[in-house]
Amino acid sequence: SGPDILAGDIGGLKTNFAVGHNYNISIIVDISGSMEAAMPIAAQDGQTRLAVAKKALQAFVDQMAQHDGIINLRITTFATNAVAVIQDVVVSNGTVTDIKSEIGQIVADGNTNPETAFTDVDNWLNSKTNGYENQIYYLTDGDPKYSNLPSRDATFANLAAKSKVFAVGVGLDVSLDWVERYDNTDANGNKINNWSPTNHGEAQRTDDADKLITYLISDSEN
């Protein structure tokens, strides 16, 4: 009941969202055919990579809904082409059910062409003049198959100039070189300026659903 001042560290769950800040969040999800491959049975009871990714995304949306600032969300899937399954939604407790339902209906088919998704998200961010912080989360399980490399890198460079990009490999088959190439954050989640194919961020790959959830929420496996 007295005018006490409590001193201590922040405590609780580390997230990529600062208290009171507003964000434009884009999630880019690989839905190529290989996402239907099963994760190791001992760890995931035979769930597919896509099932594990969807579980992680739904948990991530729940976390967003608890944030005390504004979060504008776009979820873009890609295989041969890109599709925005969530185009532009303000995440709240009232929108979580519909967002999670849309995530649940995602299916996998096609080849791996992330450039189409990079273009889609770049166009979306160009339309956002609200001054919010931009963050992109890129989930993939395979090496890119379509489009030429210089064009893909140039398209990603546009994104990297506008936003933090947190990449994660779904499963252990994906080459970490390709995952990290399209990431522009260091181990502490800080944005690396002047992204290039040789000046990229640090990323991880995982075949564990819980680690994937934690990595999305906090850019860490802890």
Side-chain angles (χ1 to χ4, degrees), residues 115 118-119 146-158 182:
E115 184 176 352
F118 296 162
T119 300
Y146 281 172
S147 77
N148 68 72
L149 184 58
S151 175
R152 187 190 314 125
D153 286 347
T155 303
F156 181 79
N158 291 331
Y182 300 120

Side-chain angles (χ1 to χ4, degrees), residues 4 8 21 37 44 50 62 80 93 99 101 104 121 123 131 147-148 151 161 166 171 173 175 192 199 202 222:
D4 300 319
H21 286 211
Q44 309 299 337
L50 183 60
D62 281 333
T80 307
N93 285 321
I99 295 171
S101 175
V121 174
N123 290 335
S147 77
N148 68 72
S151 175
F166 301 98
D173 292 336
S175 168
I192 293 173
N199 181 42
E202 298 182 34
N222 300 315

Side-chain angles (χ1 to χ4, degrees), residues 35-112:
M35 286 290 282
E36 286 296 342
M39 288 288 208
I41 294 176
Q44 309 299 337
D45 296 325
Q47 292 184 77
T48 66
R49 296 170 185 168
L50 183 60
V52 168
K54 285 158 60 170
K55 178 181 177 182
L57 290 175
Q58 290 170 335
F60 191 25
V61 170
D62 281 333
Q63 184 66 36
M64 289 185 202
Q66 305 307 311
H67 181 60
D68 63 349
I70 299 171
I71 293 181
N72 296 311
L73 175 65
R74 186 178 186 88
I75 300 178
T76 300
T77 60
F78 74 90
T80 307
N81 297 299
V83 176
V85 295
I86 296 293
Q87 296 188 8
D88 196 340
V89 174
V90 177
V91 182
S92 66
N93 285 321
T95 61
V96 162
T97 299
D98 288 342
I99 295 171
K100 291 171 72 172
S101 175
E102 289 293 336
I103 292 172
Q105 295 177 44
I106 294 173
V107 296
D109 185 44
N111 290 291
T112 307

Side-chain angles (χ1 to χ4, degrees), residues 130-166:
N130 49 29
Y132 298 175
E133 180 181 330
N134 299 326
Q135 291 185 4
I136 298 168
Y137 296 81
Y138 173 49
L139 289 74
T140 185
D141 82 322
D143 303 346
K145 303 299 182 189
Y146 281 172
S147 77
N148 68 72
L149 184 58
S151 175
R152 187 190 314 125
D153 286 347
T155 303
F156 181 79
N158 291 331
L159 284 185
K162 298 180 178 75
S163 175
K164 290 181 178 180
V165 184
F166 301 98

Side-chain angles (χ1 to χ4, degrees), residues 1-11:
S1 62
D4 300 319
I5 298 175
L6 303 181
D9 62 21
I10 294 172

